[in-house]
């Protein structure tokens, strides 16, 4: 492609910069369109899951790898702790990865420099599995949590919208979890960060 200078050098740094911007904008637009299509599909009960037995820690690792450059740019540390006793889970791997990426990118978006994000996964006593993403970010009050969970409701972060988005991260993730028979729960304190917990029902575990 032109961006990779396949057919020879572009020659001018300014042009390279423009191409980066165009490339980023194109990717960003694609993300937005996909988010909107997915939410519409969930609401229309038209999203089909392609399920298989997958290793949860592999999905977590892959998701963190994708988001890490963004976290590094914001000087945010991501740590993960995954209980090795978790058996394989029967899910749509792509959709679960999408759910994790939504939560991680939200956490990066609303966490200040020097902050920390932790992703924990554990087997519950009842055989279900929980995955939680906790950040040390700006947090939300009850009204803001309700808004964040409603499609297209976007909480104004005052963090100059470092990374634009549709505001569909949580509703989409909630929808994806419900398709798997699971749940999404948000706990947040204004000024002290947010924890979002996903629960996969025991029917999908092992």
């Amino acid at each position: 492609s032109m961006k990779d200078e396949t057919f020879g050098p572009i020659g001018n740094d300014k042009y390279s910069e423009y191409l980066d911007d165009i490339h980023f904008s194109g990717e960003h637009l694609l993300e937005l369109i996909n988010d909107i299509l997915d939410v519409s599909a969930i609401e229309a009960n038209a999203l089909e899951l392609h399920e298989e037995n997958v290793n949860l820690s592999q999905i977590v690792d892959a998701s963190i790898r994708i988001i890490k450059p963004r976290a590094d740019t914001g000087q945010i540390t991501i740590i993960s702790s995954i209980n090795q006793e978790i058996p394989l889970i029967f899910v749509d791997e792509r959709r679960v990865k999408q759910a994790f990426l939504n939560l991680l990118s939200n956490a990066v978006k609303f966490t200040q420099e020097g902050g920390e994000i932790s992703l924990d996964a554990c087997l519950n006593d009842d055989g279900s599995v929980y995955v939680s993403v906790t950040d040390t970010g700006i947090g939300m009050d009850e009204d803001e949590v309700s808004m964040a969970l409603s499609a297209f409701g976007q909480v104004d972060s005052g963090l100059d919208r470092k990374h634009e988005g549709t505001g569909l991260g949580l509703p989409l993730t909630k929808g994806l979890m419900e398709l798997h028979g699971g749940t999404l729960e948000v706990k947040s304190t204004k000024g002290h960060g947010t924890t979002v917990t996903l629960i996969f029902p025991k029917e999908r575990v092992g």
Side-chain angles (χ1 to χ4, degrees):
S1 73
M2 197 160 149
K3 185 169 146 44
D4 300 326
E5 304 192 15
T6 314
F7 299 110
I10 290 158
N12 182 315
D13 287 348
K14 206 67 197 153
Y15 289 147
S16 294
E17 216 176 286
Y18 290 151
L19 282 173
D20 281 341
D21 288 345
I22 293 165
H23 180 71
F24 177 77
S25 303
E27 278 191 339
H28 173 56
L29 197 58
L30 192 61
E31 276 175 27
L32 300 194
I33 292 166
N34 284 336
D35 277 359
I36 291 164
L37 290 176
D38 286 346
V39 166
S40 306
I42 287 173
E43 287 179 348
N45 288 327
L47 198 71
E48 277 183 46
L49 296 179
H50 301 284
E51 296 144 317
E52 54 189 320
N53 282 313
V54 296
N55 180 320
L56 185 70
S57 61
Q58 281 174 356
I59 308 181
V60 169
D61 290 346
S63 306
I64 289 175
R65 243 197 335 273
I66 292 169
I67 224 78
K68 196 176 178 314
R70 221 182 250 194
D72 290 346
T73 303
Q75 292 171 18
I76 296 161
T77 312
I78 303 182
I79 51 174
S80 67
S81 155
I82 297 154
N83 182 318
Q84 293 311 310
E85 288 167 20
I86 298 175
L88 295 179
I89 56 170
F90 187 66
V91 295
D92 182 325
E93 180 172 1
R94 180 172 157 247
R95 295 303 181 182
V96 169
K97 191 186 285 182
Q98 189 178 9
F100 293 169
L101 283 171
N102 280 337
L103 297 188
L104 288 166
S105 71
N106 259 358
V108 168
K109 190 194 300 189
F110 296 118
T111 298
Q112 303 91 327
E113 280 194 358
E116 188 176 275
I117 295 164
S118 56
L119 192 154
D120 300 287
C122 215
L123 194 56
N124 288 321
D125 292 342
D126 66 2
S128 62
V129 162
Y130 82 82
V131 178
S132 65
V133 174
T134 301
D135 65 58
T136 56
I138 59 172
M140 297 176 278
D141 58 28
E142 275 178 38
D143 290 345
E144 288 173 331
V145 168
S146 303
M147 191 189 292
L149 282 167
S150 71
F152 303 105
Q154 209 167 41
V155 179
D156 180 26
S157 66
L159 281 185
D160 76 12
R161 318 273 321 118
K162 283 188 296 183
H163 303 292
E164 292 303 324
T166 44
L168 289 174
L170 284 179
L172 180 52
T173 305
K174 188 169 188 273
L176 292 172
M177 285 307 293
E178 286 167 359
L179 279 178
H180 283 87
T183 57
L184 175 149
E185 188 182 280
V186 182
K187 285 199 172 125
S188 192
T189 311
K190 192 80 175 164
H192 294 281
T194 301
T195 296
V196 182
T197 303
L198 309 179
I199 297 202
F200 294 91
K202 64 174 185 295
E203 294 74 32
R204 291 198 170 267
V205 181

